[in-house]
């Protein structure tokens, strides 16, 4: 009986030790599915998968930021199209090979040891057709 209790306590500690994912990480994870989605769809998928509620307006704001090349390196690989009054987003096929951590690192402007656009283009040369200037990064 005591062994079962200790195992349950250890399991609870492991769950608490996992770092909480940011909204950007959750959104990127959904985009890496390769589907064409609206902000509302992404919000619903995140809620179903994780139970974490993200407002649609927060998803839209984050997507607006990460889909622009001048703000974020990942923007090279996110296609945004206007449909009706809103936008739909999806990752290009070649970028779906990125891991969630690699894709998230491309949204960061600084960070020690982060995954950069140059590294991504070296690892996945097919993605270079989506960058206008080859391996040059505009994000400093």
């Amino acid at each position: 009986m005591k062994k079962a209790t200790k195992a349950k306590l250890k399991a609870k500690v492991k769950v608490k030790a996992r770092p909480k994912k940011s909204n950007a990480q959750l959104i990127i994870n959904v985009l890496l599915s390769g589907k064409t989605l609206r902000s509302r769809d992404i919000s619903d998928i995140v809620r179903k998968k994780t139970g974490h509620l993200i407002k649609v307006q927060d998803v839209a704001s984050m997507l607006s930021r990460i889909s622009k090349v001048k703000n974020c390196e990942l923007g090279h690989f996110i296609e945004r199209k206007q449909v009706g009054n809103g936008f739909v987003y999806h990752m290009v096929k070649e970028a779906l090979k990125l891991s969630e951590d690699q894709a998230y690192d491309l949204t960061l402007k600084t960070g020690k040891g982060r995954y950069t656009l140059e590294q991504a283009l070296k690892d996945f040369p097919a993605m270079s057709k989506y960058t206008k200037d080859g391996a040059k990064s505009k994000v400093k």
Side-chain angles (χ1 to χ4, degrees):
M1 193 91 175
K2 287 186 178 182
K3 288 183 182 180
T5 306
K6 286 182 182 179
K8 286 182 182 178
L9 289 175
K10 285 183 182 179
K12 286 184 180 179
V13 170
K14 286 182 184 177
V15 170
K16 289 181 181 178
R18 271 191 274 165
K20 182 181 173 187
K21 290 186 177 181
S22 68
N23 287 350
Q25 287 172 308
L26 295 170
I27 291 167
I28 290 167
N29 188 21
V30 172
L31 282 175
L32 286 172
S33 70
K35 297 176 184 173
T36 301
L37 302 164
R38 295 177 180 266
S39 301
R40 179 171 302 284
D41 300 332
I42 293 172
S43 176
D44 291 342
I45 291 169
V46 167
R47 186 179 41 78
K48 287 176 185 173
K49 280 186 176 180
T50 65
H52 182 76
L53 180 64
I54 304 177
K55 295 178 185 175
V56 176
Q57 65 197 31
D58 294 341
V59 173
S61 175
M62 181 61 64
L63 285 170
S64 176
R65 186 183 75 80
I66 67 173
S67 66
K68 292 181 182 170
V69 175
K70 68 178 183 179
N71 293 337
C72 148
E73 293 174 341
L74 189 64
H76 290 283
F77 314 113
I78 297 175
E79 291 186 346
R80 169 183 156 159
K81 293 182 183 173
Q82 187 164 5
V83 177
N85 291 336
F87 291 94
V88 293
Y89 299 85
H90 78 275
M91 296 283 281
V92 295
K93 182 179 69 170
E94 293 82 357
L96 297 177
K97 296 176 184 173
L98 292 169
S99 72
E100 182 181 340
D101 290 335
Q102 290 171 332
Y104 177 68
D105 279 357
L106 291 175
T107 66
L108 303 175
K109 292 188 179 188
T110 61
K112 196 173 192 176
R114 75 178 183 91
Y115 192 70
T116 63
L117 180 62
E118 290 79 15
Q119 289 170 317
L121 295 177
K122 190 184 296 181
D123 294 344
F124 307 102
M127 293 192 323
S128 64
K129 68 182 177 185
Y130 297 102
T131 60
K132 290 179 182 173
D133 51 1
K136 300 273 183 178
S137 172
K138 291 185 179 181
V139 178
K140 301 285 182 192

